[in-house]
Amino acid sequence: MEQAGLRTAGTGTDAGLVLDLRRLNAGMLPLAGGKAANLGELLSAGLPVPDGFCLTTDAYRQALGVPGSLPPALAAVHAAFVEPAPAARRDAAQTRAAEPPDIAGLSGAARAAIRATPIPAAVSQAVEEAYAALGPDVPVAVRSSATAEDLPFASFAGQQDTYLNVIGVPALLEAVRNCWASLWTDRATAYRASLGIDPAGVALAVVVQRMVDADAAGVMFTANPLTGRRRQIVIDASPGLGEAVVSGAVNPDHFVVDALSGKVLERTLGDKGVEVRPLPGGGTQTRNVSSATGAACLTDWHIAGLARLGLQAEDHFGAPQDTEWAIDRSGGMWLTQSRPITTLYPVPRSNGTAGRIPEGRSATRGTRAYLCFSLAQGLTRPLTPMGLAAVRLIASSIATAAGFPVPDPRGGPSPYAEAGQRIYVDFTTPIRSTAGRWLVPRVFDIMEARTATVMRQLFEDPAFSVTTKTPFGLLRHVAPAAARAKVPATFLRALFRPAAALRRLDRFTQDFEASLHFGGGEGALSRLDHAELLLRRRLFPIVPAILPLPAVGFAMLGVAGKLVGGNAWDELQPVIRGLPNNVTTEMDLELWHLAKEIREDRESRDALMTGDPNLLAAAFQAGQLPARLDAGLARFLDRYGHRAVAEIDVGLPRWSDEPAHILGILANYLRLEDPALAPDAQFSKAIEDAEAQVDRLVARAAARGWIRGRLVRAALHRARLLAGLRELPKYQLVAGLAEVRRQLLLVGSELAQAGAIERQDDVFFLDFIEARQALSGIPLSGTAAANGVAVQDFRALVAGRRQDYAQELRRRHIPRVLLSDGTEPEAVRTGVGISAEDTLTGSPASAGTVTAAARVILDPVGARLEPGEILVAPSTDPGWTPLFLTAGGLVMEMGGANSHGAVVAREYGIPAVVGVADATGLISTGQKITVDGGAGTVVPEPPGPAVQDGGAAGGPHPPAPA
């Protein structure tokens, strides 16, 4: 549709105050805000947008009257919400939560200050001239357009105000002033604060557009926002103005359209009992209407036309769009807004047959299925770029060992994929095979049970029908690899000579640890080579060397269960409490023993109980802690300092780098007063109970024959001796990753000295290729600057990646399984995790029942768990387990019966339920809950006021590692 251009806008008293929408583009976000910039882009793409102009952010700042600073009322908001300077910033989880700011009071004062401020004459004149160019007293829509709005990571939809059917200059100027004030609504202020957006940098432009006399209007998503499917367009429509749909005042007509064929897949008619219509003198009226006809407010022709417009907008922006539209009385279709759909999870990018699926509606042939390996490892946060690069090299070494071709090891093997800076794996081939369908879900039943459920759901999808019915293809790769790694011999040795197998394993791990150390000189390039060598060749072999031993242990547990009969799992669970040879349990108990030593030393005890963990960590690094605490902490970190939360990411600090977390845990341990609850006492009791249960089971088996009794004793002996080794492969892998990190930090130090990056740990926001490229410009004799050599500057690249990483840290929902068209299969399911009477259901993990207050913790660093409280977490890895020692119970959103958290919970004898959907959202800190670890249920009492645990529970995720 051709529109007449604005004749005088931009040529009035102040050309910087008003701009025609046609002059705007995405690069003008600071001047025009997100909404206006996007409208300019739509116009440049030839899409129908109502004629209008933009009152720029210069006008907003001029109206404030204090260029370069904030009026007192706005400065108060800034002071309450802005983050500390980068040098002083700590992870949110490391800082105790202060009193929350008075959002309502502060933002209310800011709005009042703006409404009381006169509009400058230059601004009002520019608005009047631009409005006159649209026509005499033409009805217009006045919309807020903030600079922190319609961004790729935050849409701010509905955060600021819109005024419809505004007529006349006085009403227009009042609407402009109200739009400015709406920048400081309670919801907008709180939302910006949650995203860490500095209020001082936010400004607001105002879009003024000719009103569409709408016969029908609504919203349109070019991807399904519920399931994530990229090839479905979702349209909600209602008669009259779109405000009825946007505000939720009406139950609209709902259409789902296939983007490729144009076919309407779903057609649900709403009651449409409310309409918003313009009034003749200005403003709108909401009125109740009869919907007795039951007719749709859109024809198929309208639906097809809107879908075409939506796809054009998506193609122009290169990403799925959330649009608002209107159809006028003559049938003309208009787009009035377009913003990215920020809630969609990115589609995984794979090296394999799935190709690189674009963010838009296009896709390669065949639907692929991806599972989130990050979640399977208990990791909800994103990985740093170097952390992902390290995982790609390890994955390539695994594929190479199995005989699969890997053309570019730095890019990862064929099934490897990434999305949202997290690890995904293309598992389409396994679930299309008979053997894969039998094996893979069973592995995830004990590893991450909810993932296994989603996998089985895909078996019913024709897109994943079985194409391979024999296991020979898999065996052709696995059998030779297992033979080369001597897995059969290790398995048999563990079965028939377990003590000898343990001695051999001890020698192997010592040799492995010795092989990690760098001995190739001091050059940064040599250190980078060594780090890559460890990842490519040295780390993975530890897994097949160790895993057969715990596999024998759990297999023998199963054999014993078959021989004993009865309710096997309930009776066998006590047998695997208090297991020996579990390196994670040993670590936690050593930390507890250190706390007992510190309790006996008054100076050390007082320092821990009264000091801030961050300050104590700095004192430790400076050698200024009390002697007993200093020596004990040094001893602990010397052995376990390579561990951390989210430790598979080499980009994250180890405990030896930042010991504040461990110091906080020690302080928590000192608060445990009841000797009966002491972890070492409970662990000793667990051993006694396990041995007593073994005797009972053996006696029961022996009653059916002495040979059966001896077999059960031998099986249970091996189960207890070997099952605890389940934690050792990861422990050793993490030791290797810690050495990789140490070498990379030294590389980063040289790059920072040369000016290629700003600080040492910026190296983790490069990958190996980029780090090597940066090193290529640095002379071996010293800094490049000293030798007059131009060094490639990676600081801008690192800054951008740090920003992207910080944005991903805020993402709460991570899909377990994603399809290549963006569909999240789990989102299609109904009633996940909730049974009758609001009981939350999951997988039984550790038997027992406990009723206590819950503590919701999203990040364990700096979190405080009072003795006896029930820990509620998204997932756990070994970095969380020191909290387990004082926990009364455990509830996790992820995990299976043999996941890390479940194993440790059983060893400590605390009731645990895992795989509880949205547990951290449905349960509040302080709320009393009952956890039944045998039944797999969590029963919450009615919640009280939500409490945050120092930023770790329900608060913002920490920023990028510093």
Side-chain angles (χ1 to χ4, degrees), residues 523-892:
L525 198 57
S526 298
R527 293 186 181 280
L528 192 63
D529 288 339
H530 180 65
E532 285 202 73
L533 178 67
L534 291 179
L535 295 167
R536 284 189 181 193
R537 299 182 185 176
R538 194 67 193 98
L539 295 193
F540 175 67
I542 195 72
V543 176
I546 297 175
L547 267 186
L549 278 71
V552 168
F554 283 105
M556 289 297 97
L557 193 68
V559 168
K562 293 290 186 183
L563 291 172
V564 170
N567 193 350
W569 174 243
D570 287 346
E571 293 184 303
L572 291 173
Q573 203 175 132
V575 172
I576 52 176
R577 289 188 56 202
L579 291 173
N581 301 318
N582 186 320
V583 68
T584 301
T585 305
E586 293 168 357
M587 175 188 74
D588 294 342
L589 289 174
E590 184 165 330
L591 192 60
W592 169 252
H593 289 306
L594 174 56
K596 290 175 65 176
E597 290 179 25
I598 291 169
R599 191 187 294 273
E600 303 302 319
D601 181 68
R602 181 174 179 178
E603 185 183 9
S604 297
R605 183 180 67 245
D606 290 348
L608 266 181
M609 294 298 289
T610 61
D612 180 271
N614 294 314
L615 297 178
L616 292 173
F620 172 73
Q621 304 289 11
Q624 297 173 353
L625 284 181
R628 179 79 64 88
L629 176 57
D630 182 83
L633 183 59
R635 185 177 66 247
F636 177 84
L637 293 178
D638 183 60
R639 181 171 180 186
Y640 298 109
H642 64 280
R643 306 223 74 168
V645 177
E647 59 196 1
I648 67 169
D649 184 356
V650 297
L652 292 187
R654 311 289 107 171
W655 286 340
S656 56
D657 300 327
E658 295 184 1
H661 174 51
I662 295 301
L663 287 161
I665 292 292
L666 286 170
N668 278 351
Y669 286 177
L670 293 180
R671 296 185 179 95
L672 185 61
E673 301 291 344
D674 187 349
L677 297 178
D680 51 354
Q682 293 202 51
F683 192 75
S684 296
K685 184 177 184 305
I687 295 174
E688 294 174 5
D689 292 346
E691 291 174 347
Q693 181 69 357
V694 168
D695 290 340
R696 282 192 290 271
L697 294 175
V698 169
R700 197 167 85 196
R704 299 169 61 186
W706 67 272
I707 294 179
R708 184 184 292 264
R710 294 191 64 176
L711 288 174
V712 168
R713 182 172 293 281
L716 293 180
H717 169 71
R718 284 159 176 76
R720 284 194 53 75
L721 192 63
L722 302 176
L725 293 169
R726 174 199 178 280
E727 299 286 303
L728 189 58
K730 186 175 183 180
Y731 178 88
Q732 295 292 352
L733 281 172
V734 170
L737 290 175
E739 179 61 21
V740 171
R741 174 180 169 82
R742 192 175 76 84
Q743 299 300 329
L744 289 172
L745 278 172
L746 293 170
V747 172
S749 179
E750 185 156 341
L751 290 176
Q753 186 182 11
I757 55 179
E758 186 174 339
R759 63 194 204 203
Q760 184 184 36
D761 67 341
D762 281 351
V763 71
F764 298 116
F765 288 85
L766 304 175
D767 59 25
F768 285 100
I769 296 174
E770 292 158 348
R772 194 172 296 278
Q773 187 178 353
L775 285 174
S776 65
I778 301 176
L780 297 177
S781 58
T783 68
N787 291 272
V789 176
V791 177
Q792 185 170 351
D793 192 344
F794 285 86
R795 287 176 293 186
L797 176 65
V798 167
R801 287 181 177 171
R802 278 189 177 274
Q803 184 178 22
D804 293 343
Y805 179 82
Q807 292 165 9
E808 278 298 329
L809 278 172
R810 301 184 187 105
R811 192 188 294 275
R812 286 294 309 277
H813 176 67
I814 315 299
R816 283 170 169 72
V817 174
L818 269 175
L819 305 187
S820 54
D821 64 359
T823 301
E824 183 184 349
E826 192 173 19
V828 180
R829 300 168 62 201
T830 57
V832 178
I834 308 241
S835 65
E837 300 178 355
D838 294 330
T839 296
L840 310 180
T841 61
S843 299
S846 179
T849 303
V850 62
T851 300
R855 175 73 64 170
V856 179
I857 298 178
L858 304 181
D859 188 326
V861 179
R864 178 171 172 175
L865 185 72
E866 296 295 336
E869 287 184 325
I870 297 171
L871 172 61
V872 181
S875 64
T876 62
D877 65 7
W880 287 72
T881 58
L883 291 172
F884 285 28
L885 287 180
T886 56
L890 173 68
V891 177
M892 288 179 8

Side-chain angles (χ1 to χ4, degrees), residues 9-317:
T11 61
T13 305
D14 190 331
L17 298 179
V18 171
L19 292 172
D20 190 314
L21 291 180
R22 293 180 180 277
R23 296 177 56 187
L24 303 179
N25 57 58
M28 301 173 74
L29 178 70
L31 185 65
K35 188 179 284 95
N38 287 350
L39 289 173
E41 288 289 335
L42 291 175
L43 284 165
S44 70
L47 290 161
V49 172
D51 199 12
F53 62 90
C54 172
L55 185 64
T56 68
T57 55
D58 287 347
Y60 170 81
R61 293 189 174 95
Q62 190 174 125
L64 291 185
V66 192
S69 63
L70 290 171
L74 303 188
V77 181
H78 174 266
F81 291 104
V82 71
E83 288 185 302
R89 185 186 300 135
R90 302 298 301 174
D91 281 1
Q94 290 179 326
T95 306
R96 193 56 50 211
E99 278 296 315
D102 178 13
I103 294 176
L106 289 167
S107 54
R111 293 194 300 275
I114 292 174
R115 289 195 176 105
T117 301
I119 296 180
V123 174
S124 59
Q125 182 179 348
V127 171
E128 186 172 353
E129 292 181 3
Y131 178 59
L134 291 175
D137 286 339
V138 62
V140 292
V142 183
R143 308 178 193 277
S144 305
S145 180
T147 53
E149 180 180 57
D150 294 350
L151 304 175
F153 62 95
S155 74
F156 283 81
Q159 299 287 335
Q160 280 87 44
D161 289 348
T162 291
Y163 298 89
L164 302 177
N165 197 39
V166 176
I167 300 175
V169 172
L172 175 56
L173 291 175
E174 184 63 21
V176 166
R177 192 201 311 269
N178 288 335
C179 282
W180 287 342
S182 75
L183 183 62
W184 301 96
T185 61
D186 297 355
R187 62 186 183 274
T189 304
Y191 188 49
R192 287 194 300 269
S194 73
L195 295 176
I197 295 174
D198 185 347
V202 178
L204 190 123
V206 179
V207 175
V208 179
Q209 289 177 283
R210 190 187 301 273
M211 273 287 294
V212 176
D213 186 11
D215 187 52
V219 297
M220 172 172 55
F221 297 88
T222 64
N224 193 316
L226 297 179
T227 66
R229 187 165 183 177
R230 299 311 200 265
R231 290 176 289 190
Q232 285 185 350
I233 296 172
V234 178
I235 301 172
D236 284 348
S238 182
L241 301 179
E243 177 65 16
V245 176
V246 174
S247 66
V250 67
N251 184 18
D253 291 344
H254 178 78
F255 309 94
V256 179
V257 184
D258 183 270
L260 299 182
S261 67
K263 180 182 178 182
V264 179
L265 304 175
E266 296 179 27
R267 190 190 308 265
T268 306
L269 301 187
D271 55 38
K272 303 183 292 296
V274 171
E275 286 185 9
V276 178
R277 294 287 185 182
L279 292 171
T284 60
Q285 178 187 47
T286 301
R287 61 188 187 187
N288 296 323
V289 296
S290 172
S291 56
T293 61
C297 62
L298 295 182
T299 66
D300 283 358
W301 183 84
H302 288 134
I303 293 170
L306 289 172
R308 284 193 297 272
L309 291 180
L311 293 179
Q312 285 180 261
E314 180 181 289
D315 286 343
H316 179 76
F317 287 106

Side-chain angles (χ1 to χ4, degrees), residues 439-456:
L439 177 63
V440 177
R442 284 173 169 78
V443 171
F444 275 85
D445 279 334
I446 60 175
M447 187 176 181
E448 218 293 299
R450 285 171 61 192
T451 299
T453 301
V454 180
M455 284 183 184
R456 292 187 173 96

